[in-house]
Amino acid sequence: MSGKVLLLIVAVALLVVTPRFCQAGTPVRLRINTLHGIENARGAVLDAGLGPAQVSVTASSEHNGRPYLVPDALLADGLAHGATILSSSFSGWNYLYDSVGYRKLVDSGVVHVYAYEPRRTQPLQAPPPAAFVTVNRLGGESGGGIEFGVASDYMRGRGGSGTASGVTSQVAGLMACLKYRHPSWNWFDVKAALRATASNYATGYDPARHGYGSIEYHAADALVDAEKLPLFGPAAVVRRLPGGRFVFLVNAFRQKRRFSDVLFLFPSRPRPLLKELTLAEIGAMGGRHLFSSYLRRQSGVFTYRLSPGESACFVWFTQDGNGRYSRMEAYSILGPFTAPMTGG
């Protein structure tokens, strides 16, 4: 065989093989706030077919949670060690933490996977968090603001656990694997893929049944193009002020497909619609456009005042560049609210 023919064979082989290797990215570093979660996270990485060379899992606390790092200290520790995903088993989740930590996490390109064990009942309309991921085992506590539930024997491998702490670390390990296998995805894309393949996606987010339900790692891994992942609306909460004024705190779900977050007013409460919508469809339901963030990619605050005596519901959507709007989940529908007849 001549040298030229051999070189041609090698070149063709590289063209065939190289794309398989190009799908993987640089190592992903996961930092965990308790030693007892390490085994579950590392087991999950092995269950996903990867190892420490692809996903590094290390503890921020040397003595099984002592010293125990609060969220800001854990973020600082993670950034100091090059981590882009954090996992912790704090015992007091509150849906407002998403707003408190949103900018800190998003500006650093970090996601925080948090054990869902709230000390007090969360509002039923609390949205699943944008910058955090809230996880509990199936059979454990569920409620407003939870994102996923995971079966104790999920994947029937090394990462399974019967505790909230364990399944939280397991999910963090699997998310790190998805980020490694899909390096062009951001953490919002990883969350979108898991949400779209979780057990409750078809019937809609349900706080009584662990939010989007039990995840499907392998189905999420089979997805390829972030621009084709389903759109998810922002995590938005509203505060009512005197005089018919409403202040919205909006944490954008900044997946790559997102172009804008959009607020619509409805004269009465619309029913949830579990499909992506067009402007014409929203208008046919009675929706009136109030506000678009367009290319603003940060969390935002928006204020609106109802006319005296006016009743309305508000719905936040995410819109992509082709004019498609995210589906209308129950937690996206805020209200109905009625303004007083006078301005007082």
Side-chain angles (χ1 to χ4, degrees):
M1 182 181 296
S2 69
K4 290 184 178 180
V5 173
L6 181 60
L7 286 174
L8 180 60
I9 292 174
V10 171
V12 171
L14 286 173
L15 286 173
V16 173
V17 173
T18 298
R20 295 174 59 195
F21 289 99
C22 286
Q23 292 177 0
T26 57
V28 178
R29 291 183 173 87
L30 166 60
R31 197 76 168 160
I32 294 185
N33 206 17
T34 53
L35 273 178
H36 64 260
I38 291 286
E39 181 179 353
N40 299 109
R42 289 177 177 168
V45 172
L46 294 174
D47 291 341
L50 298 178
Q54 291 83 34
V55 177
S56 168
V57 181
T58 55
S60 64
S61 304
E62 295 183 46
H63 304 291
N64 204 27
R66 296 183 296 273
Y68 201 69
L69 303 182
V70 297
D72 283 350
L74 179 59
L75 175 59
D77 168 86
L79 294 176
H81 289 85
T84 57
I85 178 168
L86 312 174
S87 179
S88 60
S89 299
F90 300 115
S91 61
W93 171 255
N94 186 310
Y95 78 103
L96 295 176
Y97 290 172
D98 192 44
S99 295
V100 173
Y102 181 86
R103 287 293 299 269
K104 299 172 186 175
L105 292 170
V106 172
D107 289 350
S108 303
V110 174
V111 66
H112 189 158
V113 188
Y114 201 119
Y116 186 88
E117 290 187 306
R119 291 196 180 107
R120 62 184 63 180
T121 302
Q122 301 299 295
L124 287 177
Q125 285 299 102
F132 287 85
V133 182
T134 46
V135 187
N136 203 344
R137 62 183 175 83
L138 293 178
E141 186 167 1
S142 188
I146 190 170
E147 187 152 19
F148 300 127
V150 181
S152 297
D153 61 349
Y154 183 65
M155 294 182 75
R156 300 186 182 276
R158 302 172 181 86
S161 172
T163 69
S165 298
V167 297
T168 298
S169 300
Q170 181 188 35
V171 170
L174 294 175
M175 289 182 64
C177 291
L178 286 175
K179 186 70 173 73
Y180 176 80
R181 291 188 185 277
H182 303 271
S184 66
W185 292 6
N186 63 32
W187 288 116
F188 293 96
D189 299 325
V190 172
K191 279 161 58 75
L194 287 172
R195 285 182 177 188
T197 55
S199 58
N200 294 340
Y201 177 73
T203 54
Y205 178 88
D206 186 346
R209 297 192 302 129
H210 298 89
Y212 283 104
S214 184
I215 63 169
E216 284 293 341
Y217 168 81
H218 292 297
D221 188 32
L223 302 174
V224 177
D225 188 355
E227 296 292 340
K228 294 181 179 178
L229 293 173
L231 280 176
F232 287 91
V237 296
V238 61
R239 185 160 63 100
R240 186 170 185 168
L241 301 179
R245 291 175 58 229
F246 297 85
V247 176
F248 300 91
L249 183 61
V250 186
N251 295 330
F253 198 83
R254 301 198 302 173
Q255 57 191 115
K256 287 199 168 184
R257 187 180 161 194
R258 171 184 174 266
F259 174 74
S260 174
D261 294 319
V262 185
L263 177 63
F264 284 84
L265 180 148
F266 291 78
S268 59
R269 186 175 177 84
R271 62 181 178 86
L273 275 180
L274 302 180
K275 71 181 189 73
E276 291 186 8
L277 299 166
T278 64
L279 181 60
E281 289 173 321
I282 296 173
M285 297 169 62
R288 175 166 62 89
H289 174 265
L290 294 182
F291 171 78
S292 294
S293 66
Y294 292 110
L295 292 178
R296 285 200 344 219
R297 298 264 172 169
Q298 308 299 327
S299 60
V301 176
F302 177 71
T303 302
Y304 183 77
R305 184 192 296 270
L306 290 176
S307 302
E310 182 182 10
S311 295
C313 284
F314 302 98
V315 180
W316 283 93
F317 297 89
T318 292
Q319 180 188 13
D320 71 5
N322 295 316
R324 301 291 297 183
Y325 292 83
S326 54
R327 64 188 199 163
M328 193 187 302
E329 294 272 12
Y331 66 78
S332 300
I333 305 170
L334 305 174
F337 301 104
T338 301
M341 291 301 298
T342 64

